[in-house]
Amino acid sequence: MSIPSRSVPFLALGGIFDHADVQAAQQINLSAAEPNGNFFPLPEEPEFQKAFAAHEGAQHAIAVNSCGTALDACMMALGIKEGDEVITTPLTFVCSATCAIAQGAKVVFADIDPHTLCLDPEKVRAKITDKTKAIIPVHFAGLACDIDGFDAITRDTDIPVIYDAAHAVGTTFKGQPVGGAGKASCYSFQSNKNITTLGEGGAITTNDADFAEVVRQKKTFGYVYGGPKIRVASIGFNYRMTKPQLAVGITQIAKAPRIIREKLSRFKILHDQLSDIDGLALPAGIEDGHGAHLYIVRITQADRDEVVATLRDKYQIGTAYHYPIVWTWEAFNELEYDCNNCNIAENASSQVISLPAFAQSSDDDLQYIAYALRKTLASI
Ligand SMILES: Cc1ncc(COP(=O)(O)O)c(C=O)c1O
């Protein structure tokens, strides 16, 4: 069977935008511009934070301007410093590791589970020393990590877990949203995520009221509100979201269940169509509860780069690469880090391809991707 050629680019398509989002952003711009407009504290902030915490199953949410700064704030709130070690996965975006380095700590990479591609708690245990002060697992592509395994580590060692939940808006573990897990979770609303606050944004969720308060201080120059006088309690920065972003966050979170449902339904269709192709390892957990951020396959019997080039040049299909191994970025050349025994992650990184599946993908797009991948793998 031959299918007519079409172009399927890899786009940064995350949330679904409609009139409600545009209207929310426009109204905020007008009200903020009025004399006596209430710029700060932002009245939209509690509403968005409450809705986001409820969606992610946590008691507190703190809105910030990115997941990167969310991770930075959590490292600062934990007091991570020079001489400490922080364990994370090598198969992630660079800031899951650099947030610890920025505080002067050494990053220790532990290997991943070959099935889920998430950090493996047992591999983490093998790397714990008396200097280990935090663990940062990533809910990779929208699939929850083994939260039970990390809870057990915290019970045994008291080491706090900060989840990098950049991919995990809407992800659940054993039927529960993941936002209440560990010490805290850091979410991203950057443009390709399930909800997006005008291209950038993030939030921290936690069930720990004291930790929430310290993070809140870190995002506003260490300020403490309430009491007879405002205080500056510690060194902090400006990690705040803008009013239009918060307003759009409120409209985005209202439709998050629909966005995730539609995206996951597209993933399931593609998953079915790819299921009988030789030389292809399909992602784990493509079922209800997956956050449906990325659909990532592994090329197990051919050269990944050749497959990517063929999809691009012969079939006009765009793909993405999540991720190069963190320590291979040149910024790591001069750093001290531990990357021993991470063979599973290194192997996975050489095989992964992210396919262009979005809530907006048509049935024809998905059928064409499966057709092109089947032809490509048969021909290489
Ligand atoms: C795993 C992971 N962590 C953190 C981030 C950083 O998110 P942000 O762009 O919101 O800072 C990303 C970005 O895509 C990511 O994929």
Side-chain angles (χ1 to χ4, degrees):
M1 178 185 72
S2 170
I3 291 187
S5 169
R6 57 200 292 124
S7 167
V8 189
F10 195 99
L11 301 172
L13 288 176
I16 296 175
F17 276 91
D18 58 27
H19 194 61
D21 302 290
V22 176
Q23 218 176 15
Q26 281 175 341
Q27 280 175 358
I28 288 296
N29 276 329
L30 284 175
S31 69
E34 282 167 6
N36 304 321
N38 193 0
F39 284 93
F40 185 76
L42 302 171
E44 298 78 16
E45 201 158 351
E47 186 180 343
F48 173 64
Q49 292 179 156
K50 196 164 162 224
F52 190 70
H55 189 259
E56 302 305 336
Q59 287 167 23
H60 311 274
I62 300 104
V64 289
N65 54 12
S66 76
C67 180
T69 53
L71 286 163
D72 290 341
C74 286
M75 291 296 102
M76 285 186 252
L78 289 179
I80 299 297
K81 59 182 184 323
E82 203 177 330
D84 295 343
E85 294 180 357
V86 174
I87 303 179
T88 191
T89 164
L91 191 68
T92 185
F93 186 69
V94 65
C95 73
S96 319
T98 51
C99 63
I101 295 167
Q103 302 305 316
K106 173 180 161 185
V107 170
V108 173
F109 294 100
D111 214 350
I112 58 171
D113 176 313
H115 186 57
T116 63
L117 306 187
C118 293
L119 187 63
D120 181 339
E122 291 314 311
K123 303 287 171 45
V124 168
R125 275 187 191 270
K127 295 234 168 169
I128 290 174
T129 70
D130 55 5
K131 294 182 178 167
T132 309
K133 292 297 179 312
I135 300 167
I136 308 179
V138 178
H139 299 300
F140 188 77
L143 180 63
C145 302
D146 176 5
I147 290 173
D148 288 343
F150 290 109
D151 281 350
I153 293 179
T154 302
R155 267 198 310 276
D156 294 344
T157 64
D158 269 347
I159 299 170
V161 176
I162 302 290
Y163 288 95
D164 180 334
H167 300 179
V169 172
T171 293
T172 65
F173 178 71
K174 296 187 171 172
Q176 298 302 316
V178 296
K183 176 61 83 180
S185 301
C186 297
Y187 289 86
S188 172
F189 313 134
Q190 179 259 340
S191 58
N192 69 351
K193 304 305 189 298
N194 286 347
I195 66 168
T196 169
T197 46
L198 299 175
E200 299 286 355
I204 297 135
T205 58
T206 180
N207 286 339
D208 181 329
D210 294 338
F211 190 77
E213 176 51 30
V214 181
V215 166
R216 231 174 260 127
Q217 292 170 15
K218 295 296 172 198
K219 84 165 196 187
T220 302
F221 299 115
Y223 269 59
V224 185
Y225 292 93
K229 248 169 79 179
I230 290 176
R231 292 187 296 128
V232 176
S234 66
I235 302 299
F237 297 87
N238 180 351
Y239 293 159
R240 293 195 302 269
M241 256 197 212
T242 62
K243 280 168 77 84
Q245 285 179 298
L246 288 160
V248 170
I250 293 166
T251 54
Q252 285 276 299
I253 197 68
K255 62 188 158 206
R258 172 165 74 87
I259 294 171
I260 296 159
R261 209 169 39 244
E262 288 182 14
K263 211 168 162 193
L264 187 57
S265 80
R266 307 279 89 198
F267 280 22
K268 286 178 178 172
I269 290 171
L270 185 58
H271 202 69
D272 277 353
Q273 292 182 353
L274 298 176
S275 61
D276 63 344
I277 300 181
D278 287 337
L280 203 56
L282 300 189
I286 300 299
E287 53 200 46
D288 292 351
H290 193 288
H293 171 51
L294 291 167
Y295 189 88
I296 301 180
V297 293
R298 278 176 291 152
I299 307 298
T300 56
Q301 289 161 30
D303 181 75
R304 185 265 317 273
D305 295 342
E306 203 177 334
V307 173
V308 167
T310 307
L311 290 175
R312 183 189 60 225
D313 300 338
K314 186 160 179 199
Y315 294 101
Q316 288 76 53
I317 292 176
T319 59
Y321 180 13
H322 298 94
Y323 294 91
I325 289 293
V326 171
W327 68 75
T328 61
W329 295 112
E330 69 192 69
F332 280 71
N333 291 353
E334 305 299 319
L335 294 173
E336 194 205 342
Y337 54 86
D338 170 354
C339 63
N340 296 323
N341 302 324
C342 292
N343 305 347
I344 298 170
E346 289 182 279
N347 189 39
S349 176
S350 70
Q351 296 180 330
V352 284
I353 300 183
S354 303
L355 297 175
F358 313 108
Q360 299 88 340
S361 302
S362 67
D363 287 350
D364 287 348
D365 285 346
L366 300 174
Q367 198 187 13
Y368 181 65
I369 294 166
Y371 162 79
L373 206 44
R374 187 183 301 276
K375 287 272 189 199
T376 301
L377 287 174
S379 70
I380 284 181

